[in-house]
mmCIF file of all heavy atoms in Angstrom:
data_model
loop_
_atom_site.group_PDB
_atom_site.id
_atom_site.type_symbol
_atom_site.label_atom_id
_atom_site.label_comp_id
_atom_site.label_asym_id
_atom_site.label_seq_id
_atom_site.Cartn_x
_atom_site.Cartn_y
_atom_site.Cartn_z
ATOM 1 N N TYR A 382 160.490 69.281 173.035
ATOM 2 C CA TYR A 382 161.440 69.960 173.931
ATOM 3 C C TYR A 382 162.698 70.307 173.145
ATOM 4 O O TYR A 382 163.356 69.433 172.606
ATOM 5 C CB TYR A 382 161.772 69.067 175.122
ATOM 6 C CG TYR A 382 162.689 69.722 176.131
ATOM 7 C CD1 TYR A 382 162.275 70.827 176.855
ATOM 8 C CD2 TYR A 382 163.987 69.237 176.347
ATOM 9 C CE1 TYR A 382 163.115 71.451 177.761
ATOM 10 C CE2 TYR A 382 164.827 69.838 177.263
ATOM 11 C CZ TYR A 382 164.391 70.947 177.971
ATOM 12 O OH TYR A 382 165.227 71.543 178.875
ATOM 13 N N THR A 383 163.023 71.616 173.072
ATOM 14 C CA THR A 383 164.180 72.076 172.317
ATOM 15 C C THR A 383 165.312 72.478 173.243
ATOM 16 O O THR A 383 165.110 73.233 174.202
ATOM 17 C CB THR A 383 163.803 73.271 171.426
ATOM 18 O OG1 THR A 383 162.878 72.818 170.432
ATOM 19 C CG2 THR A 383 165.033 73.835 170.729
ATOM 20 N N ILE A 384 166.501 71.968 172.942
ATOM 21 C CA ILE A 384 167.715 72.299 173.695
ATOM 22 C C ILE A 384 168.556 73.249 172.849
ATOM 23 O O ILE A 384 169.032 72.882 171.788
ATOM 24 C CB ILE A 384 168.527 71.029 174.017
ATOM 25 C CG1 ILE A 384 167.689 70.064 174.874
ATOM 26 C CG2 ILE A 384 169.840 71.380 174.703
ATOM 27 C CD1 ILE A 384 168.292 68.670 174.966
ATOM 28 N N HIS A 385 168.696 74.494 173.304
ATOM 29 C CA HIS A 385 169.516 75.461 172.574
ATOM 30 C C HIS A 385 170.982 75.392 172.984
ATOM 31 O O HIS A 385 171.858 75.664 172.191
ATOM 32 C CB HIS A 385 168.990 76.879 172.784
ATOM 33 C CG HIS A 385 167.678 77.126 172.128
ATOM 34 N ND1 HIS A 385 166.474 76.934 172.775
ATOM 35 C CD2 HIS A 385 167.350 77.504 170.886
ATOM 36 C CE1 HIS A 385 165.477 77.204 171.954
ATOM 37 N NE2 HIS A 385 165.982 77.553 170.786
ATOM 38 N N ASN A 386 171.248 75.046 174.248
ATOM 39 C CA ASN A 386 172.628 74.934 174.727
ATOM 40 C C ASN A 386 172.618 73.980 175.901
ATOM 41 O O ASN A 386 172.117 74.297 176.978
ATOM 42 C CB ASN A 386 173.173 76.288 175.137
ATOM 43 C CG ASN A 386 174.672 76.256 175.380
ATOM 44 O OD1 ASN A 386 175.228 75.244 175.781
ATOM 45 N ND2 ASN A 386 175.350 77.365 175.122
ATOM 46 N N LEU A 387 173.184 72.790 175.707
ATOM 47 C CA LEU A 387 173.136 71.742 176.718
ATOM 48 C C LEU A 387 173.932 72.081 177.977
ATOM 49 O O LEU A 387 173.766 71.440 179.010
ATOM 50 C CB LEU A 387 173.647 70.435 176.093
ATOM 51 C CG LEU A 387 173.446 69.153 176.905
ATOM 52 C CD1 LEU A 387 171.969 68.836 177.047
ATOM 53 C CD2 LEU A 387 174.165 67.986 176.261
ATOM 54 N N ALA A 388 174.791 73.098 177.893
ATOM 55 C CA ALA A 388 175.617 73.454 179.052
ATOM 56 C C ALA A 388 174.774 74.019 180.194
ATOM 57 O O ALA A 388 175.229 74.020 181.345
ATOM 58 C CB ALA A 388 176.684 74.454 178.644
ATOM 59 N N TYR A 389 173.571 74.505 179.890
ATOM 60 C CA TYR A 389 172.721 75.125 180.913
ATOM 61 C C TYR A 389 171.510 74.235 181.138
ATOM 62 O O TYR A 389 170.573 74.220 180.352
ATOM 63 C CB TYR A 389 172.301 76.531 180.457
ATOM 64 C CG TYR A 389 173.483 77.417 180.123
ATOM 65 C CD1 TYR A 389 173.902 77.586 178.813
ATOM 66 C CD2 TYR A 389 174.215 78.028 181.133
ATOM 67 C CE1 TYR A 389 175.001 78.368 178.498
ATOM 68 C CE2 TYR A 389 175.310 78.815 180.843
ATOM 69 C CZ TYR A 389 175.701 78.987 179.519
ATOM 70 O OH TYR A 389 176.793 79.768 179.237
ATOM 71 N N GLN A 390 171.566 73.444 182.229
ATOM 72 C CA GLN A 390 170.610 72.347 182.426
ATOM 73 C C GLN A 390 169.601 72.580 183.529
ATOM 74 O O GLN A 390 168.651 71.788 183.688
ATOM 75 C CB GLN A 390 171.372 71.042 182.702
ATOM 76 C CG GLN A 390 172.310 70.660 181.585
ATOM 77 C CD GLN A 390 173.119 69.412 181.897
ATOM 78 O OE1 GLN A 390 172.941 68.786 182.945
ATOM 79 N NE2 GLN A 390 174.035 69.047 180.992
ATOM 80 N N GLY A 391 169.740 73.630 184.320
ATOM 81 C CA GLY A 391 168.849 73.826 185.448
ATOM 82 C C GLY A 391 169.144 72.852 186.575
ATOM 83 O O GLY A 391 168.281 72.092 187.013
ATOM 84 N N ASN A 392 170.395 72.882 187.033
ATOM 85 C CA ASN A 392 170.812 72.012 188.137
ATOM 86 C C ASN A 392 170.618 72.713 189.478
ATOM 87 O O ASN A 392 171.033 73.858 189.640
ATOM 88 C CB ASN A 392 172.304 71.657 187.983
ATOM 89 C CG ASN A 392 172.566 70.778 186.780
ATOM 90 O OD1 ASN A 392 172.075 69.666 186.703
ATOM 91 N ND2 ASN A 392 173.318 71.301 185.833
ATOM 92 N N TRP A 393 169.971 72.023 190.398
ATOM 93 C CA TRP A 393 169.745 72.559 191.736
ATOM 94 C C TRP A 393 169.957 71.451 192.756
ATOM 95 O O TRP A 393 169.903 70.266 192.424
ATOM 96 C CB TRP A 393 168.320 73.108 191.856
ATOM 97 C CG TRP A 393 167.939 74.008 190.722
ATOM 98 C CD1 TRP A 393 167.277 73.671 189.588
ATOM 99 C CD2 TRP A 393 168.250 75.410 190.605
ATOM 100 N NE1 TRP A 393 167.139 74.773 188.747
ATOM 101 C CE2 TRP A 393 167.721 75.844 189.365
ATOM 102 C CE3 TRP A 393 168.882 76.326 191.416
ATOM 103 C CZ2 TRP A 393 167.826 77.155 188.928
ATOM 104 C CZ3 TRP A 393 168.990 77.641 190.972
ATOM 105 C CH2 TRP A 393 168.474 78.033 189.753
#
Side-chain angles (χ1 to χ4, degrees):
Y382 183 65
T383 295
I384 299 167
H385 291 91
N386 191 330
L387 191 65
Y389 305 98
Q390 300 176 4
N392 293 297
W393 311 95

